[in-house]
Amino acid sequence: MKHPTDALSVRCYGASHGSHAHEHFQILLGLDGVLDLEVDGRGRRIAAGDGVVIVPGDRHDFEAASAARCLVLDSHDARWQHAPHNPKPRALAPLASYLAAACDSALPRARLLGPALLLEAWVPPAMPQRARRAIDWTALTDWATTHSREPLQVDDLAARVHLSAAHFTARCREEQGQSPMAWLRDLRLTAARRFRSQGLPVAEVARRTGYRSPSALTAALRRPAGR
């Protein structure tokens, strides 16, 4: 199926000819004069350098007290739905002037490429999303286990993986399903159970795993999982 060709033109507006609607996008850029525009009951004025995108199906009407001249693009390109409908495209003025001159001079290549150039200039390119820094949980686990005697806090864990405390907390909840301190507590309990299974006394296990006293470790070992 052949898609309709986008049409670029320069039009002069005067008295109203009544409201109407299109099945395509209509993009206007003011060149000269002032155009009064009403789109679905909402009014605005298009002066030189102003622009508007009228979406398919929106009823609209134009009127100018004196002749108003606009660059008009009738487009079937669905990407216009992502364009700001009421932008401040002052930076488009040089392009609009060039495309208007191309239309007046019937320059075929400029008129052919004009719709794509206008879309590219009108719709800001999406900012590339910075890739998230991966957390090596195995390496972090090894480091935290090695430093289990120290009173580690969220800031210590976050600094180890070069993240802020807030970002590390969010990532820990997302990737490990628990808060950083709960994750660290589980690591220490796992190490404590391993040491106890090897026959080490409670006092020595508490010292190695960072518990403040043997009784604190004993209470932690007796506490049901997840609490």
Side-chain angles (χ1 to χ4, degrees):
M1 179 178 177
K2 186 177 180 180
H3 294 285
T5 303
D6 288 359
L8 191 65
S9 62
V10 175
R11 300 180 194 175
C12 291
Y13 294 91
S16 170
H17 295 288
S19 65
H20 57 285
H22 305 295
E23 294 182 356
H24 55 263
F25 292 93
Q26 190 167 77
I27 297 90
L28 290 92
L29 266 168
L31 298 170
D32 302 296
V34 177
L35 178 65
D36 289 311
L37 170 65
E38 182 179 300
V39 182
D40 273 359
R42 301 184 302 275
R44 62 165 301 170
R45 311 193 93 188
I46 306 296
D50 292 332
V52 67
V53 176
I54 301 172
V55 301
D58 275 2
R59 295 200 66 81
H60 53 281
D61 192 8
F62 306 100
E63 185 172 20
S66 57
R69 188 164 163 266
C70 294
L71 179 69
V72 181
L73 172 62
D74 291 322
S75 177
H76 299 270
D77 193 324
R79 287 175 293 178
W80 279 105
Q81 66 185 314
H82 303 299
H85 292 176
N86 296 298
K88 296 293 184 183
R90 299 288 178 179
L92 293 175
L95 177 60
S97 296
Y98 169 72
L99 293 177
C103 291
D104 291 339
S105 303
L107 300 179
R109 188 167 179 79
R111 295 181 70 177
L112 177 65
L113 298 177
L117 291 173
L118 195 58
L119 176 64
E120 186 178 78
W122 194 298
V123 182
M127 292 295 292
Q129 291 190 347
R130 187 171 57 182
R132 293 203 311 180
R133 183 189 298 274
I135 297 176
D136 187 339
W137 289 101
T138 299
L140 184 60
T141 296
D142 291 342
W143 179 84
T145 300
T146 302
H147 293 77
S148 60
R149 300 181 184 183
E150 302 172 17
L152 297 178
Q153 299 298 321
V154 176
D155 286 343
D156 302 308
L157 299 172
R160 186 67 185 173
V161 294
H162 310 289
L163 291 174
S164 69
H167 283 152
F168 178 73
T169 297
R171 292 284 296 278
C172 190
R173 290 187 181 280
E174 177 185 337
E175 298 176 23
Q176 298 297 319
Q178 56 189 161
S179 70
M181 296 311 293
W183 177 82
L184 183 61
R185 182 173 62 249
D186 284 352
L187 285 185
R188 287 176 165 168
L189 280 173
T190 298
R193 291 189 178 99
R194 184 176 68 253
F195 288 140
R196 286 294 290 150
S197 70
Q198 295 171 358
L200 290 179
V202 174
E204 177 61 17
V205 173
R207 186 182 68 82
R208 291 191 182 192
T209 53
Y211 282 88
R212 65 181 181 274
S213 66
S215 59
L217 172 59
T218 300
L221 291 172
R222 290 175 177 171
R223 192 176 301 122
R227 297 186 60 182

